[in-house]
Amino acid sequence: MIELAGITKTFQGKQGAIHALKNVSLSVKKGEIYGVIGYSGAGKSTLIRCVNLLEKPDAGSVKVKNVDLTKLSTNNLRKARGDIGMIFQGFNLLKTATVYDNVALPLKLTGLSKKEVEERVDKYLKIVGLEQKHGAYPSELSGGQKQRVAIARALSHEPEILLSDEATSALDPDTTEAILDLLLKINKELGITILLITHEMNVIQRICDRVAVMENGEVIEEGKTKDIFTAPKHSTTRKFVNSLFSHKIPADILANLNETGQVATLSFFGESSGEPALAMVSKKFDIYPNILSGSITQLKNESFGQLVVHFKGEPSDIQKAIKYLENDQVKVEGVNINDANTRVS
Ligand SMILES: Nc1ncnc2c1ncn2[C@@H]1O[C@H](COP(=O)(O)OP(=O)(O)OP(=O)(O)O)[C@@H](O)[C@H]1O
């Protein structure tokens, strides 16, 4: 659906050239929700703006539905952009227009009849749950409601793709959850492909099928959200995954525990697979697992949990138990003294 190949973008800053994007390639399939995560300055905004050519790349191709947008005439680019809606962190609403007009005004410019405009506005304000707010002004709305208006405005052009530029970054956690639920609904019920950028791992975790991690203008890791959670390869990716968990074990306690066995982090999918597997190994092998810390979090389609466990026993028995757990789809990582007092996972 979206294929970016070899995208490069350099800005001339006061201190010299800034290489915002260095040979970035990624592809988003029809119907999926794809997230790009990275810290501030990684190049996410520049990347997403290249998809509808709000930013023109210096090199590389931007294919949307197999058409390279960088090769289109101004007129054909305008038409192609009709397939791509966009929402922003700051909502970008007209302050002096009502909710209704914020959605209706851009539609009127597309040449639709008055009746068609009315039908579209009603339909999409209903989908975002704002049918009671037609006459309200943006100043009378909460942040979440403003983002809903922006989403209705983007959807009213009936795009196949929705680009989301940090759409939940200005919202509180509960409102963020509600907007993420709305994006899931739009994806599922309207079949809209979503490409989003964010610096929050919980956004990726809750709704994304696949994720790319960016740093210094490059994609440093890419894959299914589930795979990135279980086996992050790059240290920056690990930091993002760990930001969702906070297992803190004091150094002296960890040193004591490691004398009588081994401390390890178990990662698993599904609500209950961690603890039953532990009960099983304590029965099967001569070891005593003791849960030191644990948490569970919801990915898009399943839950993902982590337990930090002290295995008391002889090293050979502990190794057998760990092998058994790994065969049972539980990922096991040893925790050493260097991890003490810091987040481990
Ligand atoms: N128009 C511009 N002129 C000069 N430099 C720019 C411009 N736009 C972006 N940059 C620089 O390019 C780099 C990448 O910026 P970009 O906004 O894409 O990153 P980001 O990951 O979206 O960060 P943030 O989350 O802070 O927006 C930064 O160093 C930024 O200062």
Side-chain angles (χ1 to χ4, degrees):
M1 191 71 160
I2 303 172
E3 275 175 64
L4 307 179
I7 301 290
T8 298
K9 181 76 192 178
T10 302
F11 294 107
Q12 294 309 324
K14 285 194 183 114
Q15 322 282 341
I18 299 164
H19 302 288
L21 297 174
K22 304 171 198 161
N23 195 22
V24 172
S25 299
L26 58 85
S27 88
V28 181
K29 293 180 202 145
K30 188 173 165 58
E32 76 177 342
I33 304 184
Y34 192 103
V36 177
I37 191 165
Y39 292 114
S40 184
K44 310 178 294 294
S45 294
T46 309
L47 182 71
I48 202 165
R49 288 163 60 82
C50 280
V51 176
N52 52 8
L53 292 201
L54 283 178
E55 202 72 75
K56 198 169 181 324
D58 300 328
S61 62
V62 177
K63 285 191 182 164
V64 174
K65 299 202 306 185
N66 284 325
V67 174
D68 188 347
L69 302 192
T70 64
K71 302 260 185 331
L72 293 182
S73 64
T74 313
N75 212 11
N76 285 339
L77 176 60
R78 194 163 41 77
K79 280 188 202 146
R81 278 182 177 148
D83 258 345
I84 310 172
M86 190 162 187
I87 53 173
F88 306 86
Q89 178 174 354
F91 321 123
N92 296 8
L93 300 181
L94 291 169
K95 291 191 181 75
T96 52
T98 60
V99 164
Y100 184 93
D101 282 338
N102 261 285
V103 183
L105 291 175
L107 275 180
K108 285 180 186 160
L109 299 177
T110 64
L112 289 178
S113 72
K114 197 167 171 255
K115 189 164 172 283
E116 284 169 321
V117 169
E118 277 172 14
E119 280 170 4
R120 289 258 190 116
V121 180
D122 286 345
K123 176 178 174 186
Y124 289 102
L125 283 178
K126 192 162 182 226
I127 285 176
V128 301
L130 285 184
E131 61 269 50
Q132 311 295 341
K133 293 280 181 190
H134 282 205
Y137 284 88
S139 60
E140 298 166 321
L141 302 176
S142 68
Q145 288 170 330
K146 285 181 197 160
Q147 194 56 285
R148 284 172 191 270
V149 178
I151 292 171
R153 181 182 55 191
L155 296 183
S156 69
H157 297 266
E158 309 202 318
E160 289 189 48
I161 295 168
L162 182 67
L163 305 178
S164 167
D165 183 348
E166 298 274 9
T168 56
S169 295
L171 306 175
D172 64 57
D174 284 349
T175 312
T176 293
E177 287 289 298
I179 294 294
L180 294 178
D181 282 343
L182 179 59
L183 293 179
L184 276 175
K185 173 175 143 178
I186 288 165
N187 169 253
K188 202 168 164 202
E189 293 177 12
L190 304 178
I192 293 179
T193 305
I194 299 179
L195 171 62
L196 64 84
I197 61 166
T198 182
H199 61 276
E200 297 170 315
M201 198 60 180
N202 69 314
V203 171
I204 302 291
Q205 161 210 343
R206 283 272 282 107
I207 67 170
C208 291
D209 300 297
R210 286 195 300 143
V211 55
V213 185
M214 282 192 76
E215 192 168 70
N216 296 327
E218 290 174 299
V219 172
I220 54 169
E221 195 161 350
E222 200 267 349
K224 286 187 188 159
T225 306
K226 182 174 172 172
D227 295 339
I228 294 287
F229 267 77
T230 26
K233 293 187 188 75
H234 195 282
S235 59
T236 301
T237 315
R238 271 202 290 277
K239 252 198 216 168
F240 276 119
V241 174
N242 290 350
S243 68
L244 295 170
F245 300 97
S246 58
H247 309 299
K248 288 187 180 170
I249 304 170
D252 47 347
I253 294 183
L254 191 56
N256 281 341
L257 291 173
N258 276 335
E259 271 176 24
T260 56
Q262 191 185 333
V263 178
T265 305
L266 315 187
S267 306
F268 54 90
F269 288 96
E271 305 266 346
S272 58
S273 54
E275 283 192 58
L278 271 187
M280 189 58 87
V281 288
S282 69
K283 253 185 156 179
K284 267 179 118 51
F285 306 100
D286 196 14
I287 54 146
Y288 302 92
N290 182 20
I291 298 174
L292 304 174
S293 170
S295 53
I296 195 148
T297 189
Q298 190 64 39
L299 295 191
K300 184 175 178 185
N301 295 317
E302 59 192 324
S303 53
F304 174 65
Q306 282 194 340
L307 293 174
V308 181
V309 178
H310 176 232
F311 292 101
K312 195 173 172 189
E314 291 301 319
S316 60
D317 291 321
I318 293 172
Q319 284 320 306
K320 278 185 215 155
I322 287 176
K323 261 241 139 52
Y324 181 89
L325 287 169
E326 285 174 336
N327 286 336
D328 202 24
Q329 309 299 317
V330 178
K331 186 169 176 268
V332 185
E333 263 185 311
V335 177
N336 64 43
I337 193 74
N338 298 325
D339 298 318
N341 292 325
T342 61
R343 284 178 174 175
V344 296
S345 75

